[in-house]
């Protein structure tokens, strides 16, 4: 066949390069994905709950993160914390977390504060930071948790506060609630009482209704009736804090993206099935 009359070769189809947000875009849509990229979340505490929450937020498309923690990585952190590896022992958790976030999303805007939040400096420190769209409280200390809750209420910031996961085994007992409706958890009991005193209402928490396991301090009885240190009496399963962090990240992402599934409410469906089975 004459080359002049030969049919033109078909152009190869253009294949778009794969991106880190492809699977997110399918369920979120571009508009919600853009909203998440513009948002900023403040995470207080980078332990088992906080560090795993931050990782999920970064993977979920949140474009701004403010990370506050005063600790360095210890060997005992390795069983549950996203920042903890043998290679990171001795490093500030904020530095390790920032590297992880930027490895997931190089464009993420990260602010880190390697500082202890005392009762005296907590509010001034928070007010000096970029204003977030959401706050995650993954702090261990009740007095600081109460200050954060009051500050968020007074400034109109959305907040989720993590309650206790220590000495617990069953992640199926985890649930979101307001602090007034919690039960069984020792931290929640104290928080309920103190929130009433301070006029803190409707604090959103993630808690476990599982009764904590009784734990005997390691080794011989502590001499002189001294109060045991926290690390001696609080044990943690490898999966509990990460699941809590992931659950909190899921709630934050869905709230920021205004994405909620009506089928989350299963009670009417279960009730109908039970009636029909009689």
């Amino acid at each position: 066949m004459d080359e002049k009359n030969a049919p033109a070769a078909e152009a190869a189809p253009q294949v778009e390069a794969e991106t880190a947000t492809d699977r997110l875009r399918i369920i979120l849509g571009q508009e919600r994905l853009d909203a998440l990229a513009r948002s900023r979340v403040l995470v207080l505490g980078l332990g088992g709950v906080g560090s795993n929450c931050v990782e999920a937020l970064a993977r979920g498309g949140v474009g701004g993160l403010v990370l506050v923690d005063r600790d360095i990585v210890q060997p005992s952190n390795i069983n549950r914390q996203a920042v903890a590896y043998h290679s990171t022992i001795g490093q500030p958790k904020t530095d390790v977390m920032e590297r992880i976030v930027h490895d997931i999303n190089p464009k993420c805007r990260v602010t880190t504060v390697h500082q202890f939040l005392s009762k005296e400096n907590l509010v001034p420190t928070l007010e000096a930071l970029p204003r977030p769209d959401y706050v995650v409280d993954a702090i261990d200390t009740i007095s600081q948790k109460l200050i954060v809750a009051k500050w968020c209420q007074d400034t109109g910031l959305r907040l989720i506060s993590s309650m206790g996961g220590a000495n617990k085994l069953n992640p199926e007992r985890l649930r979101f609630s307001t602090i007034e409706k919690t039960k069984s958890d020792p931290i929640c009991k104290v928080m309920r009482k103190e929130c009433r005193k301070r006029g803190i209402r409707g604090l959103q928490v993630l808690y476990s209704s599982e009764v904590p396991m009784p734990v005997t301090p390691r080794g011989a009885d502590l001499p002189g009736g001294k109060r045991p240190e926290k690390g001696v009496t609080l044990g943690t399963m490898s999966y509990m804090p990460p699941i809590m962090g992931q659950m909190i990240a899921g709630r934050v992402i869905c709230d920021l993206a205004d994405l909620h599934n009506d089928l989350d409410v299963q009670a009417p469906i279960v009730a109908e099935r039970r009636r029909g089975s009689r």
Side-chain angles (χ1 to χ4, degrees):
M1 180 181 293
D2 191 339
E3 290 184 4
K4 293 181 179 179
N5 298 323
E10 293 184 5
Q14 296 295 319
V15 179
E16 294 185 5
E18 187 173 293
T19 72
T21 57
D22 286 351
R23 297 301 179 94
L24 292 171
R25 189 177 294 105
I26 292 171
I27 192 167
L28 289 168
Q30 190 60 51
E31 186 175 343
R32 289 190 176 102
L33 198 57
D34 292 342
L36 285 171
R38 292 191 299 268
S39 66
R40 179 186 292 116
V41 179
L42 167 61
V43 180
L44 303 172
L46 296 176
V49 176
S51 63
N52 285 282
C53 179
V54 170
E55 181 179 347
L57 292 172
R59 293 189 188 279
V62 173
L65 292 165
V66 183
L67 313 176
V68 183
D69 194 286
R70 61 93 178 256
D71 287 335
I72 62 172
V73 179
Q74 303 283 357
S76 61
N77 302 152
I78 291 175
N79 77 314
R80 67 197 183 281
Q81 298 186 11
V83 293
Y85 301 86
H86 286 282
S87 61
T88 61
I89 290 172
Q91 298 179 28
K93 293 181 181 179
T94 48
D95 292 352
V96 178
M97 196 78 254
E98 183 176 17
R99 292 201 303 269
I100 292 172
V101 169
H102 280 150
D103 205 7
I104 295 168
N105 178 8
K107 295 181 180 179
C108 188
R109 309 175 304 278
V110 181
T111 302
T112 61
V113 179
H114 184 236
Q115 177 180 329
F116 173 68
L117 295 178
S118 67
K119 291 186 289 185
E120 293 73 26
N121 71 13
L122 199 157
V123 170
T125 299
L126 297 181
E127 290 182 342
L129 294 170
R131 181 176 173 85
D133 300 294
Y134 223 114
V135 179
V136 173
D137 160 29
I139 304 171
D140 291 332
T141 312
I142 289 178
S143 57
Q144 276 85 329
K145 295 178 88 67
L146 290 163
I147 295 172
V148 170
K150 187 67 165 62
W151 178 71
C152 287
Q153 179 174 281
D154 292 345
T155 55
L157 288 170
R158 288 180 285 184
L159 166 69
I160 295 180
S161 183
S162 172
M163 299 290 106
N167 299 343
K168 297 183 179 182
L169 303 178
N170 188 356
E172 294 181 6
R173 300 294 293 271
L174 290 167
R175 62 197 65 182
F176 289 103
S177 177
T178 56
I179 190 64
E180 293 87 355
K181 297 179 180 179
T182 57
K183 59 182 180 180
S184 301
D185 182 66
I187 293 179
C188 290
K189 181 178 181 181
V190 178
M191 288 288 292
R192 285 196 304 271
K193 178 180 178 181
E194 295 302 322
C195 282
R196 285 195 299 269
K197 287 182 180 179
R198 292 163 170 77
I200 300 168
R201 298 174 298 277
L203 172 63
Q204 183 179 200
V205 301
L206 175 66
Y207 84 105
S208 169
S209 61
E210 180 182 1
V211 177
M213 291 181 64
V215 176
T216 304
R218 296 192 303 267
D221 292 338
L222 296 167
K226 293 182 179 179
R227 185 176 182 179
E229 294 182 3
K230 181 180 70 172
V232 177
T233 59
L234 297 184
T236 315
M237 295 301 287
S238 62
Y239 50 84
M240 282 293 287
I243 290 172
M244 294 174 72
Q246 294 273 344
M247 288 180 68
I248 290 173
R251 176 59 65 92
V252 171
I253 288 170
C254 288
D255 281 352
L256 289 172
D258 193 23
L259 182 69
H260 297 281
N261 186 351
D262 291 339
L263 295 180
D264 285 343
V265 183
Q266 296 292 331
I269 297 174
V270 172
E272 287 175 10
R273 287 174 180 169
R274 286 176 179 170
R275 285 197 295 270
S277 64
R278 290 177 184 175

